[in-house]
Amino acid sequence: MTKPITVLQMTKEDLEGFLAKEFPQAFHAGSGLSIERVDYGDCRVRLAYSDRYIRPGGTISGPTMMMLADFALYVAILSAIGPVALAVTTNFNINFLRRPEQRDILADARIMKLGKRLAVMEVTLYSDGVDEPIAHVTSTYSIPPISAT
Amino acid sequence: MTKPITVLQMTKEDLEGFLAKEFPQAFHAGSGLSIERVDYGDCRVRLAYSDRYIRPGGTISGPTMMMLADFALYVAILSAIGPVALAVTTNFNINFLRRPEQRDILADARIMKLGKRLAVMEVTLYSDGVDEPIAHVTSTYSIPPISAT
Amino acid sequence: MTKPITVLQMTKEDLEGFLAKEFPQAFHAGSGLSIERVDYGDCRVRLAYSDRYIRPGGTISGPTMMMLADFALYVAILSAIGPVALAVTTNFNINFLRRPEQRDILADARIMKLGKRLAVMEVTLYSDGVDEPIAHVTSTYSIPPISAT
Amino acid sequence: MTKPITVLQMTKEDLEGFLAKEFPQAFHAGSGLSIERVDYGDCRVRLAYSDRYIRPGGTISGPTMMMLADFALYVAILSAIGPVALAVTTNFNINFLRRPEQRDILADARIMKLGKRLAVMEVTLYSDGVDEPIAHVTSTYSIPPISAT
């Protein structure tokens, strides 16, 4: 069993360029999404607060948090396997822990296991400036065979 | 243990009026969301196809499917407990099964268990006109005590 | 994309023989486990009631239900891909819906999606003779490449 | 909103006594289960290796890992809410990450959120002496109202 190469495959700048070019509908100037930090299989991303995410009672909607976690997962997997592989989410499980504040949301993603065929990852979401997490995600990506990329 | 009253608490028209008033950011003329059918704890909702949901390769994004499933769950729970209760999602688990077509997406939601404190539901997502499902969701809602509503 | 061959790969008798030989620790005369019915990717299995599964208050333990669901999943996947492939569970998600009775438990498993690399399945558990389910499981199996079997 | 009292409600010795008395079928001299450490809402438990957990190929069965994680979750919740409350698991989600060794398994459980009605917890499982985790669990407990205990 060989260990995967644990070298950052895309820097923050690489990722920003790749996402702006390949996912313009999701990642653009007005999306509110930004990458704060990227290491190998480990990143922090941010969603700027916007009124459009709000639900009655002043809470941020569940799908907004899911969208942000999905983005964090994609950045984390790209940082480890690079832009060539067409990785797809197969499972996404979120537990909502606390009511988010009306603030930016931070998402910390990390790879728990990177195999040849599957990656299992974890994301923890926070309201900016608050210690206790607002949501926790585990997710599995299917990684295509190298010959298919 | 008394059985819950299994009577539809909100009709399709009730739900459309409630959602348009309370969730204008999510449910409005341009949202693409519509309610096809509502029975007690059981509904079908639709998301009209739009280019903005597309990802490279022509697939519809994961967060789009999650947003639709979240909407279906909310319609199903409201149909069973009515508009007063402030029910919140606590867990949402999605398995992506097949690549969606570039078509409308239908979501069939149903309540598997409605307790006093928790509801567990299931959603199956389809590309309109295709038999095999594209995604499957299970989700839990926390239902507040009656005195709190 | 070729469709998988939807032909039963192992009959009930094939499965009983295979499991007794390969999994004697799990499937033996005293295990309480039996196969009621097997179709392609779809089966019903049973766990005979025993005092050793009971927890305070007279309920059957969670791990007992998980073990039975795991068994049902394995029978369902074998029925569709046969005994050669070394399929392994990668994800298992269970929602407990209702308190089980002090009776046999039935588990109905079916494949929702059988791909070349992954199978996604669903199991519903019932107390024998009771209509409302006691638990619901979704689970993913990773299927090894044919060359590896 | 008042903060929960974050004081250990049961020591390791309290827990061992309680479990041996209330759950003799699960926690007894021959069960292989032991408690290594308990803090408030945070514990490590161990399962001694035994041949009876083995599956073909020398791996430890999935249900064995689920049973151990379930035990760890119960110890963690008891450490935070004490022995009076009749807490029950409502959701349990496990990702299998790596093939376990033929060794003892350690399970580290911690509470991510303890509310009045729900607790969300996390468990990470390791083969004793190996750094990389073999499985990861998230789980929700429903906590009964105080008046009901």
Side-chain angles (χ1 to χ4, degrees):
Chain A
M1 198 161 55
T2 56
K3 268 204 111 177
I5 304 158
T6 55
V7 170
L8 186 65
Q9 298 296 304
M10 302 181 80
T11 63
K12 181 173 176 302
E13 290 68 33
D14 292 341
L15 280 157
E16 288 165 350
F18 175 77
L19 292 165
K21 180 158 170 278
E22 299 291 330
F23 296 84
Q25 282 117 327
F27 189 72
H28 56 82
S31 69
L33 294 169
S34 58
I35 301 172
E36 300 256 305
R37 180 186 55 73
V38 184
D39 293 309
Y40 174 83
D42 191 313
C43 68
R44 166 170 285 191
V45 302
R46 176 185 291 266
L47 179 67
Y49 176 77
S50 160
D51 279 350
R52 76 194 132 121
Y53 305 133
I54 290 299
R55 289 290 173 276
T59 195
I60 291 175
S61 80
T64 301
M65 289 186 267
M66 297 184 205
M67 177 272 290
L68 177 62
D70 182 78
F71 177 68
L73 289 162
Y74 194 57
V75 169
I77 191 76
L78 287 176
S79 77
I81 67 172
V84 284
L86 198 69
V88 294
T89 312
T90 59
N91 174 264
F92 179 100
N93 182 55
I94 183 165
N95 284 296
F96 296 97
L97 302 175
R98 292 173 187 85
R99 191 187 150 108
E101 307 275 328
Q102 293 187 31
R103 300 178 180 212
D104 288 8
I105 301 181
L106 300 173
D108 289 346
R110 71 180 186 90
I111 296 178
M112 289 197 284
K113 187 267 177 88
L114 178 59
K116 275 184 223 158
R117 298 152 49 91
L118 290 175
V120 183
M121 294 187 277
E122 179 177 47
V123 190
T124 311
L125 278 75
Y126 299 90
S127 287
D128 191 11
V130 180
D131 280 349
E132 299 287 342
I134 57 174
H136 180 270
V137 172
T138 52
S139 182
T140 304
Y141 265 69
S142 177
I143 301 170
I146 289 164
S147 58
T149 61
Chain B
M1 199 162 57
T2 56
K3 269 205 109 176
I5 304 158
T6 55
V7 170
L8 186 65
Q9 298 294 305
M10 300 180 80
T11 64
K12 181 173 176 301
E13 289 69 32
D14 292 341
L15 280 157
E16 288 164 348
F18 174 77
L19 293 165
K21 181 158 169 279
E22 300 290 331
F23 296 84
Q25 281 116 328
F27 188 73
H28 56 83
S31 69
L33 293 169
S34 57
I35 301 172
E36 301 256 302
R37 178 185 55 72
V38 185
D39 294 308
Y40 174 83
D42 191 312
C43 69
R44 166 170 284 192
V45 302
R46 176 184 294 265
L47 179 68
Y49 175 76
S50 159
D51 280 348
R52 75 193 135 121
Y53 306 134
I54 289 300
R55 290 288 174 277
T59 195
I60 291 175
S61 80
T64 301
M65 288 187 268
M66 296 186 207
M67 176 272 290
L68 177 63
D70 181 79
F71 177 69
L73 290 163
Y74 195 59
V75 169
I77 192 76
L78 287 176
S79 78
I81 67 171
V84 283
L86 198 68
V88 294
T89 313
T90 59
N91 174 264
F92 179 100
N93 183 55
I94 184 164
N95 284 295
F96 296 97
L97 303 175
R98 293 173 186 84
R99 190 188 151 108
E101 305 276 328
Q102 293 186 31
R103 300 179 180 212
D104 288 8
I105 302 181
L106 300 173
D108 289 346
R110 71 180 184 90
I111 296 179
M112 288 197 285
K113 186 265 178 88
L114 179 59
K116 276 184 218 158
R117 297 152 48 89
L118 290 176
V120 184
M121 294 186 276
E122 178 177 49
V123 191
T124 311
L125 278 75
Y126 299 91
S127 286
D128 191 12
V130 180
D131 280 349
E132 299 288 341
I134 56 175
H136 180 268
V137 172
T138 53
S139 182
T140 304
Y141 264 69
S142 177
I143 301 169
I146 289 166
S147 59
T149 60
Chain C
M1 199 161 58
T2 57
K3 266 207 113 177
I5 304 157
T6 56
V7 169
L8 186 65
Q9 299 294 305
M10 302 181 81
T11 65
K12 182 173 175 302
E13 289 68 33
D14 292 341
L15 280 156
E16 287 164 350
F18 174 77
L19 292 165
K21 180 157 168 280
E22 300 290 331
F23 296 85
Q25 282 116 327
F27 189 73
H28 56 83
S31 68
L33 294 169
S34 58
I35 300 172
E36 300 256 303
R37 178 186 55 74
V38 184
D39 294 308
Y40 173 82
D42 190 313
C43 69
R44 166 169 285 191
V45 302
R46 176 184 293 264
L47 179 68
Y49 175 76
S50 159
D51 280 348
R52 76 193 133 124
Y53 305 134
I54 289 299
R55 290 291 173 275
T59 195
I60 292 174
S61 81
T64 301
M65 289 187 266
M66 297 185 207
M67 176 272 290
L68 177 61
D70 181 79
F71 177 69
L73 290 163
Y74 195 58
V75 169
I77 191 76
L78 287 176
S79 77
I81 66 172
V84 283
L86 198 67
V88 294
T89 312
T90 60
N91 174 264
F92 179 100
N93 182 56
I94 184 164
N95 284 295
F96 295 97
L97 303 176
R98 292 173 187 85
R99 191 188 149 108
E101 306 276 327
Q102 293 186 32
R103 300 180 181 210
D104 288 9
I105 302 181
L106 299 173
D108 289 346
R110 70 180 185 90
I111 295 179
M112 289 196 285
K113 187 263 177 91
L114 179 58
K116 275 184 221 158
R117 297 152 49 90
L118 291 175
V120 183
M121 293 187 277
E122 178 177 48
V123 190
T124 310
L125 278 76
Y126 300 90
S127 286
D128 191 11
V130 180
D131 280 348
E132 299 288 341
I134 56 174
H136 180 268
V137 172
T138 52
S139 182
T140 304
Y141 265 69
S142 176
I143 301 169
I146 289 165
S147 58
T149 60
Chain D
M1 199 160 55
T2 57
K3 269 205 111 175
I5 304 158
T6 55
V7 170
L8 186 66
Q9 299 294 305
M10 301 181 80
T11 64
K12 181 173 177 301
E13 290 69 32
D14 293 341
L15 280 157
E16 288 164 351
F18 174 78
L19 293 165
K21 182 158 169 278
E22 300 291 331
F23 296 85
Q25 282 116 328
F27 188 72
H28 55 83
S31 69
L33 294 169
S34 58
I35 301 172
E36 300 257 302
R37 179 185 56 72
V38 185
D39 294 308
Y40 173 83
D42 191 313
C43 69
R44 167 169 284 191
V45 302
R46 177 184 293 267
L47 179 68
Y49 176 76
S50 160
D51 280 348
R52 75 192 133 121
Y53 306 134
I54 289 300
R55 289 290 173 277
T59 195
I60 292 175
S61 80
T64 302
M65 289 187 266
M66 296 185 207
M67 176 272 289
L68 176 61
D70 181 78
F71 177 68
L73 289 163
Y74 195 57
V75 169
I77 191 77
L78 287 176
S79 77
I81 66 171
V84 284
L86 197 68
V88 294
T89 312
T90 59
N91 175 265
F92 179 100
N93 183 55
I94 184 164
N95 284 296
F96 296 97
L97 303 175
R98 292 174 185 83
R99 192 187 149 109
E101 307 275 328
Q102 293 187 32
R103 300 177 180 213
D104 288 8
I105 302 181
L106 299 174
D108 289 346
R110 71 180 185 92
I111 296 180
M112 289 197 284
K113 187 266 178 89
L114 178 58
K116 276 184 220 158
R117 297 152 50 89
L118 290 175
V120 183
M121 294 186 276
E122 179 177 47
V123 190
T124 311
L125 278 76
Y126 299 90
S127 286
D128 191 11
V130 180
D131 280 350
E132 298 290 342
I134 57 174
H136 180 269
V137 172
T138 52
S139 182
T140 303
Y141 265 69
S142 177
I143 301 170
I146 290 166
S147 60
T149 61

